Amino acid sequence: MTRLLVECTYVFQHPKVNSGIQRVVRNVINQLPETVDGVQCIPVAMFKGKLYRVLKLGPLDNPFFNGLMAFGGRLERLAHRYHQLHQRLDQRCTSQWTRRALYVAYRLTAVAGFSVPLRLIDQLNRYHLPKRCSPLQHQPGDQLVLLDSSWHADFFPLAEQLKRDGVGIVSVIYDLIPLTHPQFYDTRLVQIFNEWFDWISKIADGYVTISTTVRDQVREELHRRVGPAKADTLWFDYFHLGSELDLSEASAAVEPRLTRLFATSEPVFLMVSTIEPRKNHGYLLDAFELAWAAGSKARLCIAGRIGWKCDALLARVREHPELNQRLFMFNDLSDTSLEHAYSHASALVFPSYVEGFGLPLVEAMQRGLPAMGSDIPVFREIGGEFMAYFDLAAPQSLVDLVTHMENTGTFPAARTVSEWRWLGWREASAQLVKRVLRNLKKAPVAVERQHADCP
């Protein structure tokens, strides 16, 4: 074994995207140690059938180019939403001729409005590549760590060639939710993720997840897909994510509407996540409507970009009688504004049906903000006795937590969040590398504490 090649292709190509996995990848790469136990760690990207060493993960110091890339990112998201709209309309059409006409209109608009501009932006991007990366020759014994969201990638043939050339493959898996809970996603994404997992189950030598909960799920899924004999030749491990908001700038301005929200004395309960079905915002609204009906003055602040399958939820928020009174929504907060929200809220509320980790919980609690979450295994793994938990089958259970805190001024958890400790991104990145290496070297694994009071 010579080197760890840590892949970050999507984030390299979309440096302005700052949600979920992209935040993890950026922080792990930016904190990646140069060497661990004599093994060199190299960030890499793969595109156009070639392997590149990443010299600069973030955008260049070029306002015009960065603005163009940001526009390209927004255009990609708009293209995705347009595709979702077409799918919904297509499903409602009963006439074959109407569906055909709708498809022709969709293709003409998609090509002229999205595909052509995005291709031009991609061509311009190629001129700047030498400033951000350089070709890298792989070597037998290298280990390729697929850290980024590779189910969207087109580098599968290259990865397979590297495997044939003696490069080991390690897959980082964030969750299996598209497989275990497909109802929360578009059919096409579920299909893509399933095809990707079939591919990764055949090519990877080992798997690193972001929680013990997901590690056990991946091991079970591999046993099911490839059989116990093959699965038992593979290795499975995990690492935990850090907590710093690396794009927060002390000199940057906080969203004025957010500042006004926290300027009064009433408690504010904060929800941070992409707005999509499995995050369960509807449960949150149900609970707070019950609390408001009972006389609570608590306010609910929803922060997160707009995702998918959320039209009904967005309409419910935008038409809500408490909007901008006791209910607030922000869809494009900067890290600076998010830092302000974490620092001034009364508690975080996180009612997800299922998670691979739950990064907002760590971000909040590391800043001393207590967290209430749905009673699911991964939240117990992260929060232990420092969190308060509610029953997703009973919104009143969350109401009881909110009103208890509002009436007593104390947070209803067994242990105080001030005693809670967690690792930062530097430690998280080093932990990932060390846990890959210990499996590659077949080092004995010590018995470890997995919960929140021990990094």
Side-chain angles (χ1 to χ4, degrees), residues 305-367:
R305 69 178 181 85
I306 296 173
W308 51 92
K309 289 189 173 183
C310 59
D311 290 350
L313 185 281
L314 291 175
R316 182 178 175 185
V317 172
R318 290 165 179 164
E319 297 169 5
H320 203 285
E322 293 292 346
L323 184 62
N324 297 324
Q325 302 298 320
R326 286 185 288 189
L327 171 62
F328 301 83
M329 183 170 68
F330 300 87
N331 300 126
D332 193 25
L333 288 182
S334 66
D335 272 11
T336 301
S337 292
L338 187 57
E339 189 81 60
H340 183 84
Y342 280 138
S343 301
H344 291 81
S346 302
L348 184 82
V349 283
F350 208 167
S352 285
Y353 286 108
V354 59
E355 288 286 340
F357 183 76
L359 189 55
L361 294 177
V362 173
E363 292 176 345
M365 295 173 71
Q366 190 72 350
R367 289 157 179 77

Side-chain angles (χ1 to χ4, degrees), residues 404-415:
H404 175 276
M405 188 174 180
E406 190 176 6
N407 294 334
T408 67
T410 59
F411 187 75
R415 299 179 64 181

Side-chain angles (χ1 to χ4, degrees), residues 55-293:
L55 306 175
K56 182 177 176 58
L57 184 60
L60 296 172
D61 187 17
N62 183 320
F64 172 77
F65 178 73
N66 292 340
L68 191 63
M69 292 303 102
F71 172 73
R74 288 193 294 270
L75 196 61
E76 281 189 339
R77 292 191 291 274
L78 185 60
H80 175 65
R81 291 179 191 171
Y82 183 63
H83 174 67
Q84 290 178 317
L85 174 63
H86 167 70
Q87 284 188 317
R88 289 196 297 270
L89 293 175
D90 183 69
Q91 291 171 357
R92 295 174 186 171
C93 288
T94 57
S95 165
Q96 181 179 357
W97 289 105
T98 304
R99 294 181 70 181
R100 187 170 298 174
L102 181 65
Y103 177 76
V104 171
Y106 164 74
R107 290 296 300 166
L108 289 174
T109 306
V111 169
F114 302 115
S115 297
V116 172
L118 286 172
R119 286 177 184 173
L120 289 174
I121 291 172
D122 182 61
Q123 290 296 324
L124 289 172
N125 189 29
R126 293 184 187 182
Y127 288 106
H128 291 266
L129 282 181
K131 300 177 182 179
R132 299 181 62 213
C133 65
S134 62
L136 179 69
Q137 180 58 50
H138 63 278
Q139 303 170 10
D142 283 347
Q143 299 293 323
L144 177 64
V145 181
L146 297 176
L147 176 65
D148 216 332
S149 49
S150 54
W151 51 90
H152 292 304
D154 59 359
F155 57 63
F156 292 0
L158 175 57
E160 291 165 5
Q161 182 59 53
L162 296 178
K163 177 85 170 182
R164 290 192 291 270
D165 291 345
V167 175
I169 306 292
V170 178
S171 177
V172 175
I173 298 183
Y174 295 88
D175 61 66
L176 296 182
I177 300 172
L179 303 181
T180 60
H181 297 75
Q183 68 271 26
F184 295 141
Y185 297 93
D186 291 326
T187 303
R188 180 57 181 154
L189 176 60
V190 173
Q191 180 183 350
I192 290 171
F193 192 90
N194 187 60
E195 291 171 352
W196 167 79
F197 198 86
D198 269 342
W199 176 76
I200 207 67
S201 67
K202 294 179 178 66
I203 194 173
D205 306 298
Y207 301 83
V208 184
T209 68
I210 57 174
S211 65
T212 61
T213 303
V214 178
R215 178 199 61 191
D216 296 343
Q217 291 174 346
V218 170
R219 182 188 287 115
E220 182 179 340
E221 183 67 16
L222 262 294
H223 272 258
R224 189 182 70 80
R225 292 207 182 208
V226 303
K230 170 67 184 300
D232 289 344
T233 67
L234 306 171
W235 58 265
F236 305 86
D237 212 327
Y238 76 100
F239 77 112
H240 277 152
L241 307 183
S243 59
E244 302 94 327
L245 295 174
D246 63 306
L247 299 184
S248 179
E249 300 176 7
S251 60
V254 175
E255 166 69 44
R257 194 162 62 94
L258 188 73
T259 303
R260 292 193 295 272
L261 166 62
F262 289 105
T264 58
S265 59
E266 288 84 3
V268 177
F269 291 81
L270 177 67
M271 167 67 169
V272 178
S273 78
T274 302
I275 299 176
E276 42 114 338
R278 72 179 171 90
K279 301 297 184 177
N280 206 10
H281 290 80
Y283 173 96
L284 207 55
L285 290 175
D286 291 343
F288 274 83
E289 285 171 357
L290 289 173
W292 292 330

